[in-house]
Amino acid sequence: MKTAIISDLHLAASSGGDVLRDPEIRAVLMEELRGAERVVLLGDIVELRERPLGAALDHALAFFTELGATVGDVEVVLVPGNHDARFAEPLLDRLSLDDAPLPLDASAGPTPGPTATIAAALSPARLRIAYPGIWLRDDVYATHGHYMDLHLRLPRAECVMLAAVSRFAGPLPDPATPADYERIVRPLYGLAFGAAQGRARRIRAELGPSEAAWELIAGERPDRTRARRLKARAARAAFPVAVAGVNRLFRADFESEVSGAMIFRTGVEGAGELAHRLGVDGGHVITGHTHRGGPRPGEAPWHLPGGGQLHNTGNWVFSTPLHNPGRPPNSYWPGTVTWVEDSGPPRQVELLRDREHADMVDLAARARGLDAHPAGVPG
């Protein structure tokens, strides 16, 4: 079966960086998806941590409507991630009511509420929810990859909070089941979703909290003011001390280095540890989550502990801290589709490599300016 996989769309992001909000870029993706026999939306499809649920869906429905019209009567599988974990809640509730364990590939149809709204927009395509992942072939397992946050040594706020939960809930076993991960991640995801429900429907923020922190500490930039450069240097000087304190408090091993190389390394290592503990590391494992597509042409394979290979679907978000001017665009550049067919390794297609940095900056700015009238919703 010819399967197209995309992840990390973050539709309705307050930054306006969700590039598929733009009709022209949606058209580029839809052209690529024509002829797909199945589409997998591999997590963080709708941004549910920055707006109330209804407002987020208002922004996202134009994408789902165009996707259904493009692919027709095929199956669309939504695999929730950490930013849209709410979509997995009815499935998890059903398993709890049945006193059934959470397998690697639990599956359910849409239920009344947000998934039914998405299913209606997707028609004539058929929606199915899979969590925490889906077997695409006997040797290909796909999951958003958010469980890897329990193994990342990058001191992102979410990783630190999960370390705090682990400190009191107890460490993960090895090997581990999806339920072992869920007892740690699910409380945090519920809190993040609940906090968003009281926010304004219209938000215009150029950077989210994680992006703002990265922009502050991740090196000098020539366009910064002198005051901003001094603030960044002070933050970088204090950062190792703060990380050391977190490590002592939560018995963690976060690294104080924050560089592109370190982020890439810890991402691959964390995904490898996740695949190992779940016992899926003997074949191909496809994740999203880190936004770093690959392996890209010319890169060595990303080997897994069990002899398999790791692949990442990249993202569809433009973020100025990660995307400095320059060509060719770096490995976090949006616009990647991963294809899986009946045989052979997964292959990736990069659809937006020809886009200019300035054009993407303008696109995000226009999206923030038009936030009062989300796509598909009358003003």
Side-chain angles (χ1 to χ4, degrees), residues 198-239:
R199 293 180 181 162
R201 289 179 63 89
R202 300 171 184 174
I203 305 173
R204 302 178 188 180
E206 184 174 352
L207 298 177
S210 297
E211 292 173 317
W214 168 258
E215 199 271 343
L216 180 64
I217 66 176
E220 297 286 350
R221 283 181 50 174
D223 59 339
R224 281 177 170 164
T225 64
R226 182 175 183 275
R228 187 67 176 170
R229 289 196 297 272
L230 290 174
K231 184 178 180 180
R233 290 169 189 166
R236 287 198 300 275
F239 192 63

mmCIF file of all heavy atoms in Angstrom, residues 198-239:
data_model
loop_
_atom_site.group_PDB
_atom_site.id
_atom_site.type_symbol
_atom_site.label_atom_id
_atom_site.label_comp_id
_atom_site.label_asym_id
_atom_site.label_seq_id
_atom_site.Cartn_x
_atom_site.Cartn_y
_atom_site.Cartn_z
ATOM 1 N N GLY A 198 -8.535 28.184 28.591
ATOM 2 C CA GLY A 198 -8.915 29.484 29.110
ATOM 3 C C GLY A 198 -8.255 30.649 28.405
ATOM 4 O O GLY A 198 -8.436 31.802 28.813
ATOM 5 N N ARG A 199 -7.509 30.371 27.363
ATOM 6 C CA ARG A 199 -6.807 31.430 26.638
ATOM 7 C C ARG A 199 -7.706 32.086 25.596
ATOM 8 O O ARG A 199 -8.748 31.554 25.235
ATOM 9 C CB ARG A 199 -5.556 30.862 25.972
ATOM 10 C CG ARG A 199 -4.509 30.416 26.965
ATOM 11 C CD ARG A 199 -3.285 29.858 26.290
ATOM 12 N NE ARG A 199 -2.307 29.423 27.285
ATOM 13 C CZ ARG A 199 -1.305 28.607 27.040
ATOM 14 N NH1 ARG A 199 -1.131 28.126 25.819
ATOM 15 N NH2 ARG A 199 -0.465 28.265 27.995
ATOM 16 N N ALA A 200 -7.248 33.221 25.113
ATOM 17 C CA ALA A 200 -7.997 33.927 24.071
ATOM 18 C C ALA A 200 -7.996 33.115 22.788
ATOM 19 O O ALA A 200 -7.046 32.384 22.495
ATOM 20 C CB ALA A 200 -7.379 35.297 23.821
ATOM 21 N N ARG A 201 -9.071 33.257 22.005
ATOM 22 C CA ARG A 201 -9.140 32.553 20.725
ATOM 23 C C ARG A 201 -8.111 33.091 19.744
ATOM 24 O O ARG A 201 -7.585 32.359 18.905
ATOM 25 C CB ARG A 201 -10.535 32.699 20.117
ATOM 26 C CG ARG A 201 -11.616 31.924 20.832
ATOM 27 C CD ARG A 201 -12.970 32.150 20.191
ATOM 28 N NE ARG A 201 -13.016 31.659 18.825
ATOM 29 C CZ ARG A 201 -13.357 30.429 18.468
ATOM 30 N NH1 ARG A 201 -13.675 29.550 19.398
ATOM 31 N NH2 ARG A 201 -13.405 30.073 17.206
ATOM 32 N N ARG A 202 -7.800 34.366 19.816
ATOM 33 C CA ARG A 202 -6.894 35.007 18.863
ATOM 34 C C ARG A 202 -5.609 35.370 19.566
ATOM 35 O O ARG A 202 -5.605 36.148 20.512
ATOM 36 C CB ARG A 202 -7.541 36.250 18.260
ATOM 37 C CG ARG A 202 -8.837 35.938 17.517
ATOM 38 C CD ARG A 202 -9.565 37.202 17.133
ATOM 39 N NE ARG A 202 -10.853 36.888 16.512
ATOM 40 C CZ ARG A 202 -11.750 37.796 16.177
ATOM 41 N NH1 ARG A 202 -11.515 39.088 16.408
ATOM 42 N NH2 ARG A 202 -12.893 37.435 15.629
ATOM 43 N N ILE A 203 -4.531 34.793 19.128
ATOM 44 C CA ILE A 203 -3.227 35.016 19.737
ATOM 45 C C ILE A 203 -2.253 35.385 18.637
ATOM 46 O O ILE A 203 -2.194 34.730 17.595
ATOM 47 C CB ILE A 203 -2.723 33.742 20.460
ATOM 48 C CG1 ILE A 203 -3.774 33.265 21.476
ATOM 49 C CG2 ILE A 203 -1.406 33.997 21.157
ATOM 50 C CD1 ILE A 203 -3.452 31.945 22.101
ATOM 51 N N ARG A 204 -1.462 36.399 18.880
ATOM 52 C CA ARG A 204 -0.469 36.808 17.890
ATOM 53 C C ARG A 204 0.885 36.889 18.570
ATOM 54 O O ARG A 204 1.268 37.917 19.102
ATOM 55 C CB ARG A 204 -0.831 38.156 17.279
ATOM 56 C CG ARG A 204 -2.210 38.168 16.613
ATOM 57 C CD ARG A 204 -2.542 39.529 16.068
ATOM 58 N NE ARG A 204 -3.934 39.578 15.615
ATOM 59 C CZ ARG A 204 -4.502 40.658 15.088
ATOM 60 N NH1 ARG A 204 -3.818 41.766 14.961
ATOM 61 N NH2 ARG A 204 -5.760 40.624 14.710
ATOM 62 N N ALA A 205 1.584 35.796 18.600
ATOM 63 C CA ALA A 205 2.895 35.729 19.242
ATOM 64 C C ALA A 205 3.902 35.234 18.223
ATOM 65 O O ALA A 205 3.728 34.170 17.637
ATOM 66 C CB ALA A 205 2.851 34.780 20.438
ATOM 67 N N GLU A 206 4.960 36.012 18.022
ATOM 68 C CA GLU A 206 5.941 35.613 17.005
ATOM 69 C C GLU A 206 6.663 34.334 17.394
ATOM 70 O O GLU A 206 6.991 33.512 16.550
ATOM 71 C CB GLU A 206 6.957 36.743 16.801
ATOM 72 C CG GLU A 206 7.953 36.452 15.685
ATOM 73 C CD GLU A 206 8.854 37.626 15.384
ATOM 74 O OE1 GLU A 206 8.612 38.708 15.926
ATOM 75 O OE2 GLU A 206 9.804 37.454 14.604
ATOM 76 N N LEU A 207 6.914 34.142 18.701
ATOM 77 C CA LEU A 207 7.614 32.954 19.161
ATOM 78 C C LEU A 207 6.847 32.331 20.315
ATOM 79 O O LEU A 207 6.314 33.035 21.178
ATOM 80 C CB LEU A 207 9.033 33.302 19.643
ATOM 81 C CG LEU A 207 9.997 33.901 18.624
ATOM 82 C CD1 LEU A 207 11.309 34.237 19.310
ATOM 83 C CD2 LEU A 207 10.221 32.965 17.458
ATOM 84 N N GLY A 208 6.815 30.992 20.337
ATOM 85 C CA GLY A 208 6.309 30.301 21.502
ATOM 86 C C GLY A 208 7.361 30.281 22.593
ATOM 87 O O GLY A 208 8.516 30.684 22.384
ATOM 88 N N PRO A 209 7.017 29.789 23.809
ATOM 89 C CA PRO A 209 7.969 29.799 24.917
ATOM 90 C C PRO A 209 9.267 29.054 24.626
ATOM 91 O O PRO A 209 10.351 29.542 24.930
ATOM 92 C CB PRO A 209 7.178 29.139 26.057
ATOM 93 C CG PRO A 209 5.750 29.344 25.697
ATOM 94 C CD PRO A 209 5.694 29.322 24.197
ATOM 95 N N SER A 210 9.173 27.858 24.037
ATOM 96 C CA SER A 210 10.392 27.092 23.753
ATOM 97 C C SER A 210 11.257 27.790 22.715
ATOM 98 O O SER A 210 12.488 27.836 22.831
ATOM 99 C CB SER A 210 10.028 25.686 23.264
ATOM 100 O OG SER A 210 9.347 24.972 24.264
ATOM 101 N N GLU A 211 10.617 28.349 21.675
ATOM 102 C CA GLU A 211 11.369 29.054 20.643
ATOM 103 C C GLU A 211 12.036 30.296 21.208
ATOM 104 O O GLU A 211 13.171 30.624 20.847
ATOM 105 C CB GLU A 211 10.445 29.432 19.493
ATOM 106 C CG GLU A 211 9.924 28.251 18.698
ATOM 107 C CD GLU A 211 8.889 28.684 17.683
ATOM 108 O OE1 GLU A 211 8.013 29.514 18.046
ATOM 109 O OE2 GLU A 211 8.953 28.226 16.539
ATOM 110 N N ALA A 212 11.335 31.020 22.078
ATOM 111 C CA ALA A 212 11.909 32.222 22.667
ATOM 112 C C ALA A 212 13.138 31.887 23.509
ATOM 113 O O ALA A 212 14.144 32.605 23.478
ATOM 114 C CB ALA A 212 10.856 32.935 23.509
ATOM 115 N N ALA A 213 13.060 30.773 24.274
ATOM 116 C CA ALA A 213 14.206 30.374 25.080
ATOM 117 C C ALA A 213 15.387 29.984 24.189
ATOM 118 O O ALA A 213 16.542 30.358 24.454
ATOM 119 C CB ALA A 213 13.818 29.200 25.987
ATOM 120 N N TRP A 214 15.099 29.234 23.121
ATOM 121 C CA TRP A 214 16.159 28.853 22.195
ATOM 122 C C TRP A 214 16.777 30.075 21.537
ATOM 123 O O TRP A 214 17.994 30.203 21.427
ATOM 124 C CB TRP A 214 15.589 27.918 21.125
ATOM 125 C CG TRP A 214 16.522 27.695 19.973
ATOM 126 C CD1 TRP A 214 16.466 28.268 18.747
ATOM 127 C CD2 TRP A 214 17.672 26.850 19.948
ATOM 128 N NE1 TRP A 214 17.498 27.836 17.951
ATOM 129 C CE2 TRP A 214 18.256 26.966 18.665
ATOM 130 C CE3 TRP A 214 18.267 26.008 20.888
ATOM 131 C CZ2 TRP A 214 19.402 26.267 18.309
ATOM 132 C CZ3 TRP A 214 19.396 25.310 20.521
ATOM 133 C CH2 TRP A 214 19.950 25.443 19.245
ATOM 134 N N GLU A 215 15.955 31.016 21.136
ATOM 135 C CA GLU A 215 16.447 32.221 20.479
ATOM 136 C C GLU A 215 17.349 33.016 21.410
ATOM 137 O O GLU A 215 18.326 33.633 20.977
ATOM 138 C CB GLU A 215 15.249 33.074 20.040
ATOM 139 C CG GLU A 215 15.564 34.118 18.967
ATOM 140 C CD GLU A 215 16.011 35.427 19.566
ATOM 141 O OE1 GLU A 215 15.794 35.657 20.771
ATOM 142 O OE2 GLU A 215 16.587 36.248 18.824
ATOM 143 N N LEU A 216 17.065 32.959 22.711
ATOM 144 C CA LEU A 216 17.838 33.730 23.676
ATOM 145 C C LEU A 216 19.218 33.136 23.914
ATOM 146 O O LEU A 216 20.220 33.859 23.962
ATOM 147 C CB LEU A 216 17.077 33.815 24.999
ATOM 148 C CG LEU A 216 17.754 34.602 26.131
ATOM 149 C CD1 LEU A 216 17.905 36.062 25.738
ATOM 150 C CD2 LEU A 216 16.957 34.466 27.416
ATOM 151 N N ILE A 217 19.301 31.803 24.061
ATOM 152 C CA ILE A 217 20.555 31.205 24.520
ATOM 153 C C ILE A 217 21.367 30.531 23.429
ATOM 154 O O ILE A 217 22.503 30.115 23.685
ATOM 155 C CB ILE A 217 20.291 30.172 25.639
ATOM 156 C CG1 ILE A 217 19.522 28.975 25.109
ATOM 157 C CG2 ILE A 217 19.588 30.828 26.805
ATOM 158 C CD1 ILE A 217 19.321 27.880 26.130
ATOM 159 N N ALA A 218 20.842 30.427 22.206
ATOM 160 C CA ALA A 218 21.492 29.573 21.197
ATOM 161 C C ALA A 218 22.472 30.328 20.315
ATOM 162 O O ALA A 218 22.524 30.098 19.122
ATOM 163 C CB ALA A 218 20.442 28.886 20.341
ATOM 164 N N GLY A 219 23.245 31.222 20.890
ATOM 165 C CA GLY A 219 24.323 31.817 20.113
ATOM 166 C C GLY A 219 24.061 33.238 19.700
ATOM 167 O O GLY A 219 22.948 33.758 19.796
ATOM 168 N N GLU A 220 25.109 33.903 19.242
ATOM 169 C CA GLU A 220 25.020 35.292 18.814
ATOM 170 C C GLU A 220 24.310 35.411 17.467
ATOM 171 O O GLU A 220 24.444 34.560 16.596
ATOM 172 C CB GLU A 220 26.434 35.880 18.676
ATOM 173 C CG GLU A 220 27.215 35.917 19.980
ATOM 174 C CD GLU A 220 26.716 37.019 20.906
ATOM 175 O OE1 GLU A 220 25.914 37.844 20.452
ATOM 176 O OE2 GLU A 220 27.138 37.043 22.065
ATOM 177 N N ARG A 221 23.545 36.499 17.328
ATOM 178 C CA ARG A 221 22.937 36.816 16.050
ATOM 179 C C ARG A 221 23.211 38.277 15.737
ATOM 180 O O ARG A 221 23.048 39.158 16.592
ATOM 181 C CB ARG A 221 21.417 36.576 16.109
ATOM 182 C CG ARG A 221 21.041 35.116 16.020
ATOM 183 C CD ARG A 221 19.553 34.926 16.056
ATOM 184 N NE ARG A 221 18.867 35.792 15.106
ATOM 185 C CZ ARG A 221 17.561 35.721 14.862
ATOM 186 N NH1 ARG A 221 16.823 34.854 15.505
ATOM 187 N NH2 ARG A 221 16.986 36.535 13.993
ATOM 188 N N PRO A 222 23.635 38.576 14.519
ATOM 189 C CA PRO A 222 24.021 39.945 14.202
ATOM 190 C C PRO A 222 22.887 40.948 14.252
ATOM 191 O O PRO A 222 23.123 42.147 14.380
ATOM 192 C CB PRO A 222 24.588 39.821 12.772
ATOM 193 C CG PRO A 222 23.972 38.574 12.219
ATOM 194 C CD PRO A 222 23.833 37.651 13.396
ATOM 195 N N ASP A 223 21.632 40.480 14.144
ATOM 196 C CA ASP A 223 20.516 41.413 14.132
ATOM 197 C C ASP A 223 20.023 41.771 15.533
ATOM 198 O O ASP A 223 19.069 42.520 15.685
ATOM 199 C CB ASP A 223 19.360 40.841 13.303
ATOM 200 C CG ASP A 223 18.863 39.501 13.829
ATOM 201 O OD1 ASP A 223 19.625 38.833 14.559
ATOM 202 O OD2 ASP A 223 17.723 39.130 13.520
ATOM 203 N N ARG A 224 20.672 41.261 16.577
ATOM 204 C CA ARG A 224 20.272 41.581 17.932
ATOM 205 C C ARG A 224 20.763 42.978 18.328
ATOM 206 O O ARG A 224 21.829 43.432 17.909
ATOM 207 C CB ARG A 224 20.853 40.569 18.924
ATOM 208 C CG ARG A 224 20.097 39.251 18.968
ATOM 209 C CD ARG A 224 20.788 38.298 19.915
ATOM 210 N NE ARG A 224 19.974 37.113 20.173
ATOM 211 C CZ ARG A 224 20.450 35.998 20.715
ATOM 212 N NH1 ARG A 224 21.721 35.910 21.039
ATOM 213 N NH2 ARG A 224 19.662 34.979 20.932
ATOM 214 N N THR A 225 19.996 43.625 19.170
ATOM 215 C CA THR A 225 20.461 44.869 19.762
ATOM 216 C C THR A 225 21.535 44.562 20.802
ATOM 217 O O THR A 225 21.691 43.412 21.252
ATOM 218 C CB THR A 225 19.300 45.603 20.441
ATOM 219 O OG1 THR A 225 18.826 44.796 21.528
ATOM 220 C CG2 THR A 225 18.149 45.858 19.459
ATOM 221 N N ARG A 226 22.273 45.612 21.215
ATOM 222 C CA ARG A 226 23.311 45.407 22.216
ATOM 223 C C ARG A 226 22.708 44.873 23.516
ATOM 224 O O ARG A 226 23.260 43.954 24.145
ATOM 225 C CB ARG A 226 24.055 46.710 22.478
ATOM 226 C CG ARG A 226 25.206 46.581 23.475
ATOM 227 C CD ARG A 226 25.984 47.878 23.598
ATOM 228 N NE ARG A 226 27.105 47.732 24.490
ATOM 229 C CZ ARG A 226 27.035 47.861 25.827
ATOM 230 N NH1 ARG A 226 25.862 48.163 26.391
ATOM 231 N NH2 ARG A 226 28.095 47.698 26.580
ATOM 232 N N ALA A 227 21.574 45.440 23.928
ATOM 233 C CA ALA A 227 20.932 44.973 25.153
ATOM 234 C C ALA A 227 20.526 43.506 25.034
ATOM 235 O O ALA A 227 20.668 42.725 25.985
ATOM 236 C CB ALA A 227 19.708 45.836 25.466
ATOM 237 N N ARG A 228 20.032 43.114 23.860
ATOM 238 C CA ARG A 228 19.623 41.722 23.655
ATOM 239 C C ARG A 228 20.830 40.794 23.676
ATOM 240 O O ARG A 228 20.764 39.687 24.220
ATOM 241 C CB ARG A 228 18.884 41.607 22.322
ATOM 242 C CG ARG A 228 18.255 40.246 22.050
ATOM 243 C CD ARG A 228 17.133 39.961 22.994
ATOM 244 N NE ARG A 228 16.468 38.700 22.659
ATOM 245 C CZ ARG A 228 15.581 38.102 23.430
ATOM 246 N NH1 ARG A 228 15.233 38.645 24.574
ATOM 247 N NH2 ARG A 228 15.020 36.976 23.058
ATOM 248 N N ARG A 229 21.945 41.241 23.109
ATOM 249 C CA ARG A 229 23.158 40.413 23.137
ATOM 250 C C ARG A 229 23.659 40.219 24.564
ATOM 251 O O ARG A 229 24.081 39.126 24.948
ATOM 252 C CB ARG A 229 24.234 41.040 22.261
ATOM 253 C CG ARG A 229 23.942 40.963 20.756
ATOM 254 C CD ARG A 229 25.198 41.240 19.947
ATOM 255 N NE ARG A 229 25.709 42.586 20.161
ATOM 256 C CZ ARG A 229 25.335 43.660 19.465
ATOM 257 N NH1 ARG A 229 24.424 43.525 18.507
ATOM 258 N NH2 ARG A 229 25.856 44.846 19.704
ATOM 259 N N LEU A 230 23.608 41.290 25.383
ATOM 260 C CA LEU A 230 24.052 41.177 26.769
ATOM 261 C C LEU A 230 23.145 40.234 27.553
ATOM 262 O O LEU A 230 23.618 39.430 28.370
ATOM 263 C CB LEU A 230 24.062 42.555 27.421
ATOM 264 C CG LEU A 230 25.150 43.520 26.915
ATOM 265 C CD1 LEU A 230 24.959 44.901 27.526
ATOM 266 C CD2 LEU A 230 26.540 42.979 27.228
ATOM 267 N N LYS A 231 21.847 40.318 27.308
ATOM 268 C CA LYS A 231 20.907 39.427 27.981
ATOM 269 C C LYS A 231 21.161 37.977 27.596
ATOM 270 O O LYS A 231 21.103 37.079 28.445
ATOM 271 C CB LYS A 231 19.476 39.835 27.631
ATOM 272 C CG LYS A 231 18.403 39.036 28.354
ATOM 273 C CD LYS A 231 17.008 39.537 27.976
ATOM 274 C CE LYS A 231 15.928 38.734 28.701
ATOM 275 N NZ LYS A 231 14.564 39.215 28.326
ATOM 276 N N ALA A 232 21.449 37.746 26.318
ATOM 277 C CA ALA A 232 21.721 36.387 25.854
ATOM 278 C C ALA A 232 22.984 35.831 26.496
ATOM 279 O O ALA A 232 23.031 34.668 26.905
ATOM 280 C CB ALA A 232 21.842 36.374 24.337
ATOM 281 N N ARG A 233 24.021 36.650 26.598
ATOM 282 C CA ARG A 233 25.272 36.186 27.213
ATOM 283 C C ARG A 233 25.059 35.852 28.681
ATOM 284 O O ARG A 233 25.588 34.847 29.189
ATOM 285 C CB ARG A 233 26.346 37.250 27.064
ATOM 286 C CG ARG A 233 26.835 37.423 25.631
ATOM 287 C CD ARG A 233 27.699 38.647 25.477
ATOM 288 N NE ARG A 233 27.998 38.926 24.077
ATOM 289 C CZ ARG A 233 28.501 40.058 23.639
ATOM 290 N NH1 ARG A 233 28.774 41.049 24.487
ATOM 291 N NH2 ARG A 233 28.743 40.231 22.347
ATOM 292 N N ALA A 234 24.263 36.670 29.374
ATOM 293 C CA ALA A 234 23.987 36.382 30.779
ATOM 294 C C ALA A 234 23.200 35.082 30.922
ATOM 295 O O ALA A 234 23.469 34.274 31.818
ATOM 296 C CB ALA A 234 23.209 37.554 31.394
ATOM 297 N N ALA A 235 22.232 34.871 30.043
ATOM 298 C CA ALA A 235 21.443 33.640 30.100
ATOM 299 C C ALA A 235 22.307 32.421 29.838
ATOM 300 O O ALA A 235 22.182 31.395 30.524
ATOM 301 C CB ALA A 235 20.300 33.718 29.092
ATOM 302 N N ARG A 236 23.213 32.526 28.861
ATOM 303 C CA ARG A 236 24.086 31.382 28.560
ATOM 304 C C ARG A 236 25.035 31.102 29.711
ATOM 305 O O ARG A 236 25.348 29.947 30.005
ATOM 306 C CB ARG A 236 24.852 31.644 27.265
ATOM 307 C CG ARG A 236 23.989 31.554 26.022
ATOM 308 C CD ARG A 236 24.846 31.375 24.769
ATOM 309 N NE ARG A 236 25.770 32.474 24.584
ATOM 310 C CZ ARG A 236 25.473 33.610 23.978
ATOM 311 N NH1 ARG A 236 24.240 33.809 23.521
ATOM 312 N NH2 ARG A 236 26.363 34.560 23.832
ATOM 313 N N ALA A 237 25.503 32.146 30.395
ATOM 314 C CA ALA A 237 26.418 31.939 31.517
ATOM 315 C C ALA A 237 25.718 31.239 32.679
ATOM 316 O O ALA A 237 26.305 30.405 33.378
ATOM 317 C CB ALA A 237 26.984 33.287 31.972
ATOM 318 N N ALA A 238 24.443 31.581 32.902
ATOM 319 C CA ALA A 238 23.703 30.989 34.017
ATOM 320 C C ALA A 238 23.155 29.607 33.700
ATOM 321 O O ALA A 238 22.823 28.842 34.615
ATOM 322 C CB ALA A 238 22.558 31.920 34.415
ATOM 323 N N PHE A 239 23.069 29.268 32.430
ATOM 324 C CA PHE A 239 22.392 28.050 32.014
ATOM 325 C C PHE A 239 23.020 26.785 32.591
ATOM 326 O O PHE A 239 22.302 25.924 33.130
ATOM 327 C CB PHE A 239 22.353 27.985 30.484
ATOM 328 C CG PHE A 239 21.444 26.936 29.924
ATOM 329 C CD1 PHE A 239 20.081 26.972 30.146
ATOM 330 C CD2 PHE A 239 21.963 25.892 29.168
ATOM 331 C CE1 PHE A 239 19.242 26.001 29.625
ATOM 332 C CE2 PHE A 239 21.137 24.918 28.646
ATOM 333 C CZ PHE A 239 19.775 24.974 28.876
#
